[in-house]
Amino acid sequence: MTVTGLHRWLPGEGGMSGGLRGQQDMEEEPDLEALQAWKERVGQELDRVVAFWMEHSHDKEHGGFFTCLGQDGQVYDDLKYVWLQGRQVWVYCRLYRKLKRFRSPELLDAAKAGGEFLLRYARVAPPGKKCAFVLTRDGRPVKVQRTIFSECFYTMAMNELWRVTGEARYQSEAVEMMDQIVYWVREDPSGLGRPWLPGAPASESMAVPMMLLNLVDQLGEADEELAGNYAELGDWCAQRILRHVQRDGQAVLENVSEDGEELSGCLGRHQNPGHALEAGWFLLRHAIRKGDSELRTHVIDKFLLLPFRSGWDPDHGGLFYFLDADGLCPAQLEWAMKLWWPHSEAMIAFLMGYSDSGDPALLRLFYQVAEYTFRQFRDPEHGEWFGYLNREGKVALTIKGGPFKGCFHVPRCLAMCEEMLDALVSRLALAQSPCTRSTPAVPSPEGAK
């Protein structure tokens, strides 16, 4: 382990379940200057990332966005991926709504153009809800996936468009698509087009309840009626995610059986540390909304610290993409690569965990991951981040976008971290003022809100 002292309280090594951290460690005062420096660094990087996508990705002829961009932003393929269209609409609207410096007509107009492109072309056979995975530049369907993910990001885009425009038609689209997704997941998946095969194991990927929990969070924000409507669904999603903690709490597995048991073979042993960390901050937000302190502690233990312990490369730094729970060589060719999105999710998870708990060890982990990420992934010449590094941290693919990488994980990470750092800096500055200096300058238990 590269963080001094981390082994003292990781699960299975005298860990958190044995009494959390020591009182002296918990009262360790964070460095205001370091937090302020990271806030400024993250904010400046967010500006550069957004500028890259605004300059290179907008299709002003047909609407929507190009995502297949080379290192300098050159378009190398004009296919449009529906989930990435929805993600970019969501990011633009979220930035417009949350951060004042992004409240520009250009950003909003691009988001609306992307949303209208989705409304016109995303669904393969309207009024049916199934969305394409890939479209031509002018919106003709190329490929359909038998999953819910294009539809999930369509829903997120429409809900955010409603929040920034006030146009009810966008919210109607979001709620109707949400109802369809829930039906596919909990009632009848036949509409997704997946054939039933007698030899296929009845398995559940963690990605499905994760995405549904994220949608519950999205649609329920500042909407008491919808939050109430989806409360049971949120609890169901959380419980399904928690079933992926297996082997007496010592492993988070990507796939489990439909009744929550470990599967045999490579499928059952498959681990994705970045996904576990992303699930961790989804669950942490859910626990904070419910005021469930026990769940918050469990999530930090099992979905933040445990995946980091197994997933961090002790030789070269960075998070492995995939692992085998038995320590065997994973079958995926890219298993040892370092990808942009797990590191983005880790930054969010550890900073949120620190904001909520006040545990300085989580702040140290945020610094560790952020330093590696900024050093290895960012492109100081052209902007945005490289997405794919080899194990040693060298750039393996120079592209900035493609079928899986678009304007989403990086700006979401940077925007969320900027907001959390800003809150931490403000609270710490207040705590260090002469009037309040007598109390420890650690985050309040509600810090992640």
Side-chain angles (χ1 to χ4, degrees), residues 32-185:
L32 177 59
E33 290 186 5
L35 289 170
Q36 180 65 40
W38 267 107
K39 178 198 164 191
E40 294 174 3
R41 190 177 181 185
V42 164
Q44 291 167 4
E45 187 65 14
L46 177 60
D47 292 347
R48 294 180 73 249
V49 166
V50 174
F52 178 91
W53 291 100
M54 290 188 70
E55 180 179 355
H56 300 297
S57 72
H58 297 180
D59 184 350
K60 297 181 180 178
E61 181 179 350
H62 296 284
F65 309 102
F66 302 115
T67 60
C68 295
L69 304 179
Q71 180 175 357
D72 61 359
Q74 180 179 357
V75 178
Y76 65 83
D77 196 323
D78 63 7
L79 289 175
K80 292 176 178 173
Y81 297 82
V82 169
W83 66 336
L84 299 185
Q85 302 295 308
R87 286 171 166 183
Q88 191 156 348
V89 171
W90 182 89
V91 164
Y92 278 11
C93 291
R94 195 77 164 193
L95 291 173
Y96 184 90
R97 185 163 68 92
K98 292 285 190 177
L99 296 172
K100 288 184 179 180
R101 69 181 185 278
F102 290 109
R103 209 157 291 167
S104 70
E106 182 184 0
L107 196 70
L108 182 58
D109 289 346
K112 290 165 68 175
E116 293 302 319
F117 182 86
L118 286 170
L119 283 172
R120 287 195 302 271
Y121 302 120
R123 289 175 292 173
V124 176
K129 298 297 185 184
K130 191 73 191 86
C131 292
F133 179 64
V134 189
L135 303 169
T136 62
R137 180 183 178 185
D138 59 2
R140 289 168 291 139
V142 174
K143 181 180 179 181
V144 174
Q145 278 193 334
R146 297 164 179 173
T147 65
I148 62 169
F149 303 117
S150 291
E151 293 78 10
C152 287
F153 290 105
Y154 179 97
T155 303
M156 290 174 63
M158 293 300 144
N159 181 256
E160 274 296 329
L161 273 169
W162 167 69
R163 292 179 186 277
V164 297
T165 67
E167 294 187 36
R169 62 194 178 102
Y170 293 129
Q171 179 69 338
S172 295
E173 282 287 328
V175 173
E176 289 176 13
M177 187 63 84
M178 179 67 167
D179 291 343
Q180 179 64 79
I181 294 167
V182 173
Y183 178 78
W184 282 332
V185 172

Side-chain angles (χ1 to χ4, degrees), residues 9-10 19 29 60 82-83 86 136 177 226 230 235 275 363:
W9 53 280
L10 277 171
E29 192 167 283
K60 297 181 180 178
V82 169
W83 66 336
T136 62
M177 187 63 84
L226 276 183
Y230 295 135
D235 291 339
H275 230 187
L363 182 60

Side-chain angles (χ1 to χ4, degrees), residues 306-350:
L306 187 59
F308 183 84
R309 182 177 68 177
S310 62
W312 189 260
D313 184 344
D315 298 320
H316 302 285
L319 289 163
F320 289 117
Y321 193 27
F322 298 133
L323 293 171
D324 182 289
D326 285 346
L328 303 175
C329 180
Q332 297 87 354
L333 299 179
E334 70 275 27
W335 74 269
M337 291 182 71
K338 314 296 169 60
L339 270 65
W340 82 104
W341 71 262
H343 296 80
S344 300
E345 301 310 316
M347 286 175 60
I348 296 171
F350 286 126

Side-chain angles (χ1 to χ4, degrees), residues 298-314:
H298 180 74
V299 167
I300 290 174
D301 191 359
K302 302 303 182 186
F303 285 87
L304 273 62
L305 301 175
L306 187 59
F308 183 84
R309 182 177 68 177
S310 62
W312 189 260
D313 184 344

Side-chain angles (χ1 to χ4, degrees), residues 331-404:
Q332 297 87 354
L333 299 179
E334 70 275 27
W335 74 269
M337 291 182 71
K338 314 296 169 60
L339 270 65
W340 82 104
W341 71 262
H343 296 80
S344 300
E345 301 310 316
M347 286 175 60
I348 296 171
F350 286 126
L351 194 56
M352 188 180 294
Y354 172 69
S355 296
D356 179 61
S357 70
D359 181 359
L362 294 172
L363 182 60
R364 291 194 292 270
L365 290 177
F366 165 76
Y367 288 149
Q368 178 178 341
V369 174
E371 287 286 3
Y372 175 90
T373 301
F374 271 62
R375 182 175 66 249
Q376 303 300 137
F377 285 98
R378 67 186 297 272
D379 181 357
E381 182 178 0
H382 297 290
E384 239 296 329
W385 292 3
F386 298 109
Y388 305 87
L389 312 180
N390 64 18
R391 180 176 178 182
E392 290 73 29
K394 306 293 185 183
V395 175
L397 302 178
T398 59
I399 59 172
K400 295 293 177 54
F404 304 99

